[in-house]
């Protein structure tokens, strides 16, 4: 009886996506919009109302979230580029060591907004590659993206 009910409910409720009024928005779409927004802020400056409040830490976190969204969408290009660039280092240090190194670079000094964005994006990829405790944030973003129909892979 419950299988019949579940099938009836699934047929009656169509799969939805984020913002049905906006159409289908996928994880790749969110990552693309985030990347475009981040580049626009970096190239043209932020709205004067928020420009004073925008710090390099915010752009590093935005880069991390964008990298995690690209991973949730299944885009391997950014991941492949960064892991191939850090391949020899990762082979000798291990993925956790590289993740610890990028964290030290990020948080032990201040950065310009461009460098913070790039380091945040790189950290998003390297943390997911390292696994373990490093990948908790990436896994959480991927989990939420997979929960929303049409948003994940």
């Amino acid at each position: 009886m419950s299988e019949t009910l579940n099938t009836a409910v699934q047929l009656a409720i169509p799969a939805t996506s984020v913002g049905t009024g906006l159409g289908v928005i996928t994880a790749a779409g969110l990552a693309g919009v985030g990347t475009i927004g981040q580049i626009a802020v970096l190239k043209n400056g932020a709205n004067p109302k928020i420009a004073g409040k925008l710090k390099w830490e915010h752009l590093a976190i935005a880069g991390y979230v964008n990298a995690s969204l690209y991973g949730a969408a299944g885009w391997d290009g950014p991941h492949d580029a960064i892991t191939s660039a850090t391949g020899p280092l990762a082979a000798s240090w291990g993925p956790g060591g590289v993740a610890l190194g990028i964290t030290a670079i990020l948080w032990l000094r201040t950065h310009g907004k461009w460098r913070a964005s790039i380091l945040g994006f790189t950290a998003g990829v390297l943390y997911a590659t390292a696994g373990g405790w490093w990948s908790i944030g990436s896994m959480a973003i991927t989990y939420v993206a997979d929960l929303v129909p049409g948003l994940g892979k």
Side-chain angles (χ1 to χ4, degrees), residues 58-142:
H58 300 125
L59 291 167
I61 292 169
Y64 175 82
V65 170
N66 285 335
S68 299
L69 284 170
Y70 280 121
W75 286 24
D76 294 332
H79 176 270
D80 292 343
I82 291 171
T83 53
S84 68
T86 59
L89 186 62
S92 60
W93 285 18
V98 177
L100 184 60
I102 195 78
T103 303
I105 291 170
L106 255 172
W107 299 112
L108 293 179
R109 59 173 292 180
T110 59
H111 301 283
K113 293 178 180 175
W114 275 99
R115 184 185 307 157
S117 297
I118 292 167
L119 286 172
F121 191 91
T122 304
V125 171
L126 293 176
Y127 290 177
T129 303
W133 291 100
W134 297 106
S135 65
I136 290 175
S138 300
M139 287 189 310
I141 291 170
T142 302

